[in-house]
Amino acid sequence: MENITNILLVSGTHGNELSGLYLQKLIKDGRYDANRSTFSTSLLTGNPEAVQQQCRFLDMDLNRQFSTSRQEATSKEAKRSQALITQYADNEKQLIIDLHNTTSNMGATLILLSESPFYTKMGAYVKQRMPDANILFETRTSWPEQPYLCTMGQYGVMIEVGAQAHGSLKSETLDLMKRMTTAVLDYIEKSNLGQLDQLNAYEAYFYLEEVVVPLDQDGQRLALVHPTVCGQDFQPVYPGEPLLATFMGSDIHWQGEHEIYPHFINEAAYCASNIAMALAEKKHIEV
């Protein structure tokens, strides 16, 4: 592939996620260097109105507005996505890094939306630099149909750090974001220069499905995340083990044939959709 010559570093796609916004502040204040010899880094606030109001979004989730099959809409976020696409989607040799923090206990997670060698090698490089990091592939959907802001161009990734309450800052998660962003930037630099060292095989997670909490006839929840799962992002749940605990005293168990790995467990932003967690399988990646 061509060398990447520009990084578009995006924060504030969700207006109440502050880690990325303050990483950008460090860059503007000269306290973090996001440039390298082979590329320059530009900064973008994804949803500035939501940032100003300190809310996730105004009308609709901006980070779900970038699929090519999206419906025409008049929401503020739909208009914002179109403006961003017009300005940035055709920029060649550009990688978009979209910065997020989550209320889930996911540590530092690199979300990759393609299994091409460029991304599998990126995962290997980041994993070698940060052994405790999680590499999560969401590749069930083709690139043009991915809804995420980072897919509006040819290349893009997301960085998630947590656990961190929305609207707050934590030194630990900000440090994780700095470290993972640095690793991605260094990977691009070495890839551009043809200086990547031997990359080792690694374990990565592949998104499967979401677990939705059952509701009663009044729309009230009948269950909650099981206490053995709560806070245990990317820890295995084996067949027959519980995922949810009902208020009637019984459990809802994982019915699959193989273990799965919950993540985005109890993510606060997904409560309105009654999503308890997402599930992934683990795969061995040879580079």
Side-chain angles (χ1 to χ4, degrees), residues 8-194:
L8 183 63
L9 192 63
V10 184
S11 70
T13 299
H14 296 136
N16 58 358
E17 297 178 7
L18 302 189
S19 293
L21 293 166
Y22 276 83
L23 179 56
Q24 286 193 346
K25 174 174 169 52
L26 293 176
I27 294 170
K28 294 173 183 176
D29 292 346
R31 298 180 179 276
Y32 178 87
D33 188 5
N35 294 311
R36 299 292 186 272
S37 68
T38 62
F39 62 80
S40 59
T41 296
S42 305
L43 306 181
L44 172 68
T45 302
N47 197 341
E49 287 190 69
V51 170
Q52 186 176 18
Q53 297 190 32
Q54 300 182 27
C55 59
R56 183 175 176 87
F57 55 81
L58 301 175
D59 296 329
M60 305 172 67
D61 190 337
L62 178 62
N63 209 32
R64 302 296 186 271
Q65 305 303 314
F66 292 88
S67 166
T68 55
S69 63
R70 67 192 182 280
Q71 299 295 316
E72 290 295 327
T74 59
S75 71
K76 292 182 178 180
E77 277 76 17
K79 293 177 180 178
R80 177 61 173 164
S81 70
Q82 189 54 57
L84 292 174
I85 290 168
T86 300
Q87 185 170 359
Y88 295 105
D90 293 332
N91 291 5
E92 297 181 354
K93 303 180 181 181
Q94 171 184 262
L95 173 72
I96 300 172
I97 304 175
D98 194 12
L99 303 173
H100 292 266
N101 52 262
T102 172
T103 62
S104 302
N105 191 28
M106 290 172 58
T109 300
L110 177 65
I111 300 179
L112 304 173
L113 304 166
S114 167
E115 295 176 59
S116 73
F118 172 71
Y119 294 106
T120 57
K121 291 179 181 179
M122 181 188 295
Y125 184 87
V126 170
K127 190 69 175 174
Q128 286 180 212
R129 290 276 294 270
M130 298 180 67
D132 292 336
N134 302 299
I135 311 300
L136 175 62
F137 286 87
E138 291 194 23
T139 56
R140 298 192 311 163
T141 304
S142 67
W143 189 269
E145 295 308 312
Q146 293 280 7
Y148 305 115
L149 182 149
C150 71
T151 63
M152 66 178 172
Q154 190 173 2
Y155 307 107
V157 300
M158 288 183 283
I159 292 176
E160 284 275 5
V161 295
Q164 178 173 307
H166 294 320
S168 72
L169 273 174
K170 284 175 63 177
S171 60
E172 176 185 1
T173 46
L174 182 57
D175 182 64
L176 286 174
M177 181 171 284
K178 288 165 58 179
R179 290 173 57 201
M180 182 164 277
T181 302
T182 298
V184 172
L185 296 177
D186 289 347
Y187 166 77
I188 299 300
E189 172 82 341
K190 288 183 177 294
S191 179
N192 284 346
L193 294 172

Side-chain angles (χ1 to χ4, degrees), residues 215-235:
L215 307 178
D216 65 18
Q217 61 185 8
D218 297 320
Q220 297 295 306
R221 297 183 182 188
L222 293 170
L224 71 170
V225 174
H226 197 276
T228 60
V229 175
C230 195
Q232 300 298 309
D233 294 73
F234 295 112
Q235 297 303 307

Side-chain angles (χ1 to χ4, degrees), residues 56 61 64 136 138 140-141 147-148 206-214 225 243-244 252 254 260-267 269-281:
R56 183 175 176 87
D61 190 337
R64 302 296 186 271
L136 175 62
E138 291 194 23
R140 298 192 311 163
T141 304
Y148 305 115
F206 284 74
Y207 172 87
L208 290 174
E209 61 185 276
E210 295 167 347
V211 176
V212 178
V213 178
V225 174
L243 289 173
L244 303 176
I252 298 174
W254 169 237
I260 41 83
Y261 295 82
H263 57 284
F264 281 118
I265 300 171
N266 268 335
E267 163 57 48
Y270 300 158
C271 285
S273 301
N274 295 303
I275 295 172
M277 67 192 77
L279 302 178
E281 61 182 339

